[in-house]
Amino acid sequence: MPEFDLPRRLAAEALGTALLVATVVGSGIMAEGLAKDPALALLANTISTGAILVVLIAVLGPISGAHFNPAVTLVFRLRRELSTNDALMYVIAQITGGIVGTMIAHLMFGLPLLNESMKIRTGGSQWFSEAVASFGLIATILAGLRFQRGSVPWLVGLYIIAAYWFTASTSFANPAVAVARSLTNTFSGIRPRDLPGFITAELCGAIIGVIVIGWLLREGNRAAPISEEVQP
């Protein structure tokens, strides 16, 4: 894989996060406007989000790694695959890109550039859901890189589609996206005051994920194949 300098990697992270958020917010606005059934609106939002993730990871992954998510960047910093400075710059690019993504979606639908969300998303079940969602996302990424590297875009997209529906929080699993979604008072929004609980849960889930999956994938102390065992 060719090496790209930091400015290009940051641009890829900002662009990818912006397009991801524009898709999440924009498809939510479209779905809510067209569908009277909330479940149908959520399904439309889900499919759009999963689809764009496949595209973005496939086309921008070779440039920056396609994190688009501070929790993912934290994991790669903990794995010492990214320097502290680069990780901080990635996070700044992701948050900035996410906010721009909200603005893009609002412009496309004739809404104010930024509009504080009033949608309540809080409570223990929501926070636990975010921890589970982030844990599963990290497990999908790390195991995918180990065993099915070429399929990672599809694995992540499909995981997010599933997690939208099996978690009570609809699986944000991304602090940058959560911040961006606090600035839209539409279908996909979240109150700014609810962000701390969500972001804390997402980071905790990611850290637990890197510990558990790191142990699970660690080589060594493997049992000998049956053919090599001493027969009685």
Side-chain angles (χ1 to χ4, degrees), residues 140-155:
T140 299
I141 292 171
L142 296 182
L145 288 173
R146 175 70 175 275
F147 301 120
Q148 297 288 337
R149 181 173 290 269
S151 299
V152 168
W154 286 98
L155 294 173

Side-chain angles (χ1 to χ4, degrees), residues 16-65:
T17 312
L19 291 174
L20 172 59
V21 171
T23 301
V24 172
V25 175
S27 65
I29 296 170
M30 177 69 81
E32 190 173 40
L34 295 177
K36 295 181 181 180
D37 184 347
L40 184 58
L42 181 60
L43 179 62
N45 190 220
T46 300
I47 295 172
S48 298
T49 303
I52 198 64
L53 275 169
V54 173
V55 173
L56 293 175
I57 296 171
V59 301
L60 296 177
I63 300 175
S64 67

Side-chain angles (χ1 to χ4, degrees), residues 79-163:
R79 288 165 57 89
R80 300 181 181 178
E81 297 181 29
L82 203 62
S83 70
T84 299
N85 178 71
D86 286 7
L88 289 174
M89 296 300 289
Y90 265 46
V91 171
I92 292 171
Q94 292 156 1
I95 294 174
T96 302
I99 294 172
V100 170
T102 295
M103 296 168 68
I104 290 171
H106 285 182
L107 279 172
M108 290 192 292
F109 288 91
L111 299 175
L113 280 181
L114 297 174
N115 192 7
E116 182 178 313
S117 178
M118 302 297 290
K119 182 165 288 189
I120 300 172
R121 297 181 190 264
T122 190
S125 62
Q126 295 273 312
W127 302 331
F128 181 65
S129 293
E130 279 303 288
V132 171
S134 295
F135 175 90
L137 176 62
I138 297 307
T140 299
I141 292 171
L142 296 182
L145 288 173
R146 175 70 175 275
F147 301 120
Q148 297 288 337
R149 181 173 290 269
S151 299
V152 168
W154 286 98
L155 294 173
V156 172
L158 289 171
Y159 172 77
I160 291 298
I161 288 174

